Amino acid sequence: MIWTIVVLAVLVLVLFGFWVSWRASRLDRLHNRVESARTALDLALVRRSSAAADLASSGMIDPATSLLLADAVRRARQAGPSELGLAESDLTRALRATLDEPGFRTEVEAASHQVYLARKFYNDLAGRTLDDRRRPLARVLHLSGTARAPEFFDIDDALTGGDRSS
């Protein structure tokens, strides 16, 4: 009788250990995916600012709009982490003002659409990671380790007047 209880207790502890290990590895994988998604988002932002810089220096748009766009590109490229969202939203507004130019419309729209998709994917992963981090077991056992909690990245990335709400 005692052996049965001991065996069951050991079995329960082993199963609990496997479950905790599975939860910790899931959380680790989510953190890795968030980092990869953030890298993809940063690359999409760079591609979009490159397309905007090409448009600003093309000579196809009027000089005032070209200066506005070039300034928005410069601010987006030099923005620190705390002001990146605002600078990228300003770049979107500057791109909206130049969208009537047919030569660059498809390039700028494609780059902006990639930013939109990368941002949505990143924010989705960030939300799932935050949900897993908030679970009682993850908090009590510190399953997230030293990984920083991801932050949502929200910018105005709709090139048209229509709203692509997150």
Side-chain angles (χ1 to χ4, degrees), residues 79-159:
S82 61
E83 65 250 354
L84 183 62
L86 181 61
E88 290 292 341
S89 293
D90 288 344
L91 178 56
T92 299
R93 287 188 281 281
L95 283 169
R96 258 190 236 134
T98 62
L99 202 56
D100 295 332
E101 303 305 318
F104 284 90
R105 183 181 182 100
T106 56
E107 183 181 346
V108 169
E109 282 180 339
S112 294
H113 187 66
Q114 287 299 315
V115 167
Y116 171 74
L117 292 176
R119 183 182 63 82
K120 293 288 280 183
F121 186 72
Y122 169 78
N123 282 341
D124 179 54
L125 280 173
R128 282 194 279 164
T129 303
L130 289 172
D131 285 345
D132 272 15
R133 288 175 66 104
R134 289 183 186 126
R135 293 180 186 250
L137 182 70
R139 283 183 303 171
V140 169
L141 298 179
H142 303 287
L143 295 183
S144 58
T146 59
R148 287 187 31 214
E151 296 177 359
F152 291 105
F153 186 77
D154 290 319
I155 61 170
D156 174 10
D157 57 6
L159 280 183

Side-chain angles (χ1 to χ4, degrees), residues 4-166:
T4 306
I5 293 173
V6 169
V7 168
L8 284 176
V10 168
L11 183 61
V12 166
L13 285 174
V14 167
L15 289 176
F16 181 72
F18 279 124
W19 185 64
V20 167
S21 174
W22 175 77
R23 295 299 299 173
S25 64
R26 172 180 160 69
L27 197 52
D28 185 53
R29 283 191 313 270
L30 280 172
H31 277 106
N32 288 335
R33 287 178 66 196
V34 163
E35 287 178 22
S36 296
R38 182 56 196 233
T39 301
L41 174 60
D42 290 340
L43 285 172
L45 291 171
V46 167
R47 276 190 222 107
R48 184 177 77 149
S49 69
S50 293
D54 289 346
L55 177 58
S57 63
S58 70
M60 295 178 67
I61 56 178
D62 65 274
T65 306
S66 180
L67 283 174
L68 172 81
L69 188 56
D71 184 55
V73 168
R74 181 192 55 77
R75 282 185 287 134
R77 287 181 175 173
Q78 293 176 350
S82 61
E83 65 250 354
L84 183 62
L86 181 61
E88 290 292 341
S89 293
D90 288 344
L91 178 56
T92 299
R93 287 188 281 281
L95 283 169
R96 258 190 236 134
T98 62
L99 202 56
D100 295 332
E101 303 305 318
F104 284 90
R105 183 181 182 100
T106 56
E107 183 181 346
V108 169
E109 282 180 339
S112 294
H113 187 66
Q114 287 299 315
V115 167
Y116 171 74
L117 292 176
R119 183 182 63 82
K120 293 288 280 183
F121 186 72
Y122 169 78
N123 282 341
D124 179 54
L125 280 173
R128 282 194 279 164
T129 303
L130 289 172
D131 285 345
D132 272 15
R133 288 175 66 104
R134 289 183 186 126
R135 293 180 186 250
L137 182 70
R139 283 183 303 171
V140 169
L141 298 179
H142 303 287
L143 295 183
S144 58
T146 59
R148 287 187 31 214
E151 296 177 359
F152 291 105
F153 186 77
D154 290 319
I155 61 170
D156 174 10
D157 57 6
L159 280 183
T160 60
D163 181 14
R164 281 192 276 196
S165 49
S166 20

